[in-house]
Amino acid sequence: MNEKKLLEKAKEMLLRSYAPYSHFHVGAALLAKNGKIYTGCNIENAAYGPSNCAERTAIFKAVSEGDKEFEAIAIVGGPDGKIKDFCSPCGVCRQVMAEFCRKDFKVYMENAAGEIKVMTLAELLPESFSLK
């Protein structure tokens, strides 16, 4: 799978993001080991706690459909849906990734200049609580 294609799918999800409180829209595209792509966007709630990040939306969709082995995820986001800087997963999302992904799982991020940053889960969350 080409990381550019995965990032394009993540960008498509920015349009579906529901972020009326933070105005920070995020899209994600998760690549399962079998080649299937699961997408997600952030979905906010006035109570904040029930809100869900784009990355977790994609992972939970995949797991709910029976996929539990993943290769990579692409994440893009920014204020009012405009990509500016690299959009890194929050701590909760990193821990959810650690539940289902190997330490060499790749996280692709892209900024407004079109530069791509790639990090492994081990780099993003060293010393994680993990089954893998």
Side-chain angles (χ1 to χ4, degrees):
M1 165 61 57
N2 181 316
E3 73 252 14
K4 289 272 191 195
K5 182 177 179 187
L6 208 55
L7 283 159
E8 286 304 315
K9 290 278 190 193
K11 289 176 195 173
E12 289 173 16
M13 294 309 296
L14 282 174
L15 302 174
R16 296 186 182 178
S17 170
Y18 179 74
Y21 307 102
S22 73
H23 304 284
F24 196 91
H25 299 258
V26 181
L30 175 69
L31 176 63
K33 224 175 196 177
N34 63 12
K36 188 167 180 181
I37 296 173
Y38 294 90
T39 57
C41 62
N42 60 322
I43 304 166
E44 294 181 349
N45 185 283
Y48 286 103
S51 297
N52 204 45
C53 296
E55 303 92 301
R56 282 183 283 142
T57 299
I59 291 169
F60 294 163
K61 283 169 64 175
V63 171
S64 72
E65 292 185 26
D67 276 329
K68 293 183 187 141
E69 294 185 21
F70 309 111
E71 294 292 323
I73 193 166
I75 308 163
V76 294
D80 296 317
K82 293 178 180 45
I83 298 169
K84 291 189 178 193
D85 295 320
F86 297 110
C87 187
S88 178
C90 74
V92 173
C93 287
R94 292 174 193 206
Q95 187 57 53
V96 169
M97 288 176 195
E99 185 71 20
F100 296 102
C101 306
R102 297 180 325 270
K103 294 182 186 305
D104 64 347
F105 175 80
K106 292 191 178 2
V107 179
Y108 297 104
M109 299 164 273
E110 185 176 345
N111 66 12
E115 299 168 318
I116 297 171
K117 185 178 201 177
V118 183
M119 297 185 77
T120 65
L121 181 57
E123 292 171 318
L124 286 168
L125 189 63
E127 307 300 324
S128 68
F129 297 102
S130 178
L131 294 175
K132 304 197 185 275

